[in-house]
Amino acid sequence: MGSPLPRDPIADAQRNWERHGWGEVAAPMAAITAIMRTQQILLARIEGVLKPFGLTFARYELLALLSFARSGALPMNKASALLQVHPTSVTNAVDRLEKAALVLRSPHPTDGRTTLIELTAEGRTLAKRATAALNSEVFGQSGFGDEDVEHLIRVLGDFRKAAGDFTDG
Amino acid sequence: MGSPLPRDPIADAQRNWERHGWGEVAAPMAAITAIMRTQQILLARIEGVLKPFGLTFARYELLALLSFARSGALPMNKASALLQVHPTSVTNAVDRLEKAALVLRSPHPTDGRTTLIELTAEGRTLAKRATAALNSEVFGQSGFGDEDVEHLIRVLGDFRKAAGDFTDG
DNA sequence: TCCAAACCCTTGGATGTCCTAGTATATTGC
DNA sequence: GCAATATACTAGGACATCCAAGGGTTTGGA
């Protein structure tokens, strides 16, 4: 999108906050802004690796989730809850995955309101290949040190829990 | 979007990765997924605070950036570089801010290719009010401890630098 | 001087996310 | 048993992001 800037724009923003008398919240502002930007960078990397597979991150996440379900199938509402996205986002992803013959919709055996998403053989294979690519090209080269990874998992885990994502642990 | 899950879905994913023989990259995968989810939570909080002002995060960022420029004006390409988003995203944001009379476009005095974005008085006032709201309702209550904030700034700063965001310090 | 290459912004298209409604099916309570 | 409430999915709309392409302006080398 552009070449490197001569200065860190987030560090500059933090200084601006301090200069305007908002020093109390300048550091958290910088940390939060850094999280936003880091997510953007990571998402771009992930999408770049998935593109050759005809997948986006949203579709990959759903495929991966299904591949870990013993039966290879999940109700849409369950997928929505586990992926922590709006139900309409799941509908959207399933529409496209279904067109690509990677998943299929089937009626729930006992609840007429519910639709099950099932992985096709093709979908299972692609999920495996895409995961291997992500493991070697993104997760295996995150650039984060082992200690930092542990720290991130702990700090962000506490944050997510406090935000109401889950109740255990 | 939903009530808390009984278990942390990211911790479950990490266990799944380990169970499938990808233990080497399970932790970075969990850290990266946690960053994605944390960004989602933070963005929702921010958008919630900005909604009463008729702003989105993208528009707020542009407004805030302009408010720190001494002249209150910046070329579009400069804004794109500093916000680290695609030029078309800036075009989009400016279109909407201009309709709301918060900024206006003016020609660059010496370079006919360039368009300057200028903050209006109304835009400057709104930026100030929105910043105050974010400071008190989001940044001031991030939920991150002081030490964790410092750690995040450092770790994510190193990451962004390694990713080519900037070259200084 | 002058034309090609570089640069700047906008338009149009594809995706993803969320929200608000609307339809269909289950559950609950009287 | 039936009406009221709750739940599940989908349709349509608003926004944001990126990419690909197009038109105008500058710059630089022949």
Side-chain angles (χ1 to χ4, degrees), chain B residues 106-128:
Chain B
S106 62
H108 188 287
T110 65
D111 189 331
R113 297 169 299 183
T114 299
T115 300
L116 292 177
I117 324 167
E118 265 182 68
L119 210 49
T120 64
E122 195 178 332
R124 187 179 293 280
T125 301
L126 191 64
K128 201 162 293 184

Side-chain angles (χ1 to χ4, degrees), chain B residues 1 40 76-77 88 91 105 113-115:
Chain B
M1 200 142 20
Q40 194 178 17
M76 306 216 22
N77 64 335
T88 54
T91 295
R105 272 181 246 242
R113 297 169 299 183
T114 299
T115 300

Side-chain angles (χ1 to χ4, degrees), chain A:
Chain A
M1 200 142 25
S3 36
L5 293 166
R7 306 159 53 71
D8 178 357
I10 294 180
D12 282 347
Q14 186 173 355
R15 277 186 282 271
N16 277 329
W17 244 247
E18 288 162 357
R19 191 159 52 75
H20 282 256
W22 308 319
E24 289 295 318
V25 299
M29 180 283 298
I32 288 172
T33 305
I35 290 170
M36 311 294 276
R37 174 58 185 156
T38 300
Q39 185 269 350
Q40 194 178 15
I41 293 168
L42 289 169
L43 181 59
R45 283 190 194 172
I46 291 171
E47 299 268 7
V49 169
L50 293 177
K51 193 174 200 100
F53 298 98
L55 292 175
T56 61
F57 187 47
R59 296 177 209 169
Y60 167 76
E61 277 196 297
L62 182 50
L63 232 43
L65 182 64
L66 290 170
S67 75
F68 289 124
R70 269 314 183 198
S71 61
L74 276 179
M76 305 217 19
N77 64 336
K78 194 96 180 179
S80 167
L82 292 172
L83 297 176
Q84 320 221 229
V85 295
H86 199 277
T88 55
S89 296
V90 176
T91 295
N92 186 338
V94 171
D95 284 349
R96 297 170 194 281
L97 288 171
E98 197 171 28
K99 259 181 204 126
L102 300 173
V103 307
L104 53 85
R105 272 180 246 241
S106 62
H108 188 288
T110 65
D111 189 333
R113 298 169 299 182
T114 299
T115 299
L116 292 176
I117 323 168
E118 265 182 68
L119 210 47
T120 64
E122 196 177 336
R124 187 178 292 280
T125 301
L126 192 64
K128 199 161 295 183
R129 292 201 297 129
T131 297
L134 285 180
N135 281 342
S136 76
E137 296 172 45
V138 180
F139 303 141
Q141 308 177 44
S142 71
F144 294 122
D146 289 353
E147 281 181 28
D148 293 336
V149 164
E150 293 309 319
H151 191 270
L152 285 169
I153 290 174
R154 182 178 62 69
V155 171
L156 301 182
D158 289 349
F159 176 86
R160 292 183 296 114
K161 183 171 180 181
D165 267 13
F166 59 95
T167 57
D168 90 343

Side-chain angles (χ1 to χ4, degrees), chain B residues 36-134:
Chain B
M36 311 294 277
R37 174 58 185 156
T38 300
Q39 185 268 351
Q40 194 178 17
I41 293 168
L42 289 169
L43 181 59
R45 282 191 195 171
I46 291 171
E47 299 268 7
V49 170
L50 293 177
K51 194 175 199 99
F53 297 99
L55 292 175
T56 62
F57 186 47
R59 295 175 212 172
Y60 166 76
E61 278 197 298
L62 182 50
L63 232 45
L65 182 64
L66 290 171
S67 76
F68 289 124
R70 268 316 182 196
S71 61
L74 275 180
M76 306 216 22
N77 64 335
K78 194 97 179 177
S80 167
L82 292 172
L83 297 176
Q84 320 222 229
V85 296
H86 199 278
T88 54
S89 296
V90 176
T91 295
N92 185 338
V94 172
D95 283 349
R96 298 170 194 281
L97 289 172
E98 197 171 28
K99 256 180 206 131
L102 300 172
V103 305
L104 52 85
R105 272 181 246 242
S106 62
H108 188 287
T110 65
D111 189 331
R113 297 169 299 183
T114 299
T115 300
L116 292 177
I117 324 167
E118 265 182 68
L119 210 49
T120 64
E122 195 178 332
R124 187 179 293 280
T125 301
L126 191 64
K128 201 162 293 184
R129 291 201 296 127
T131 296
L134 285 179

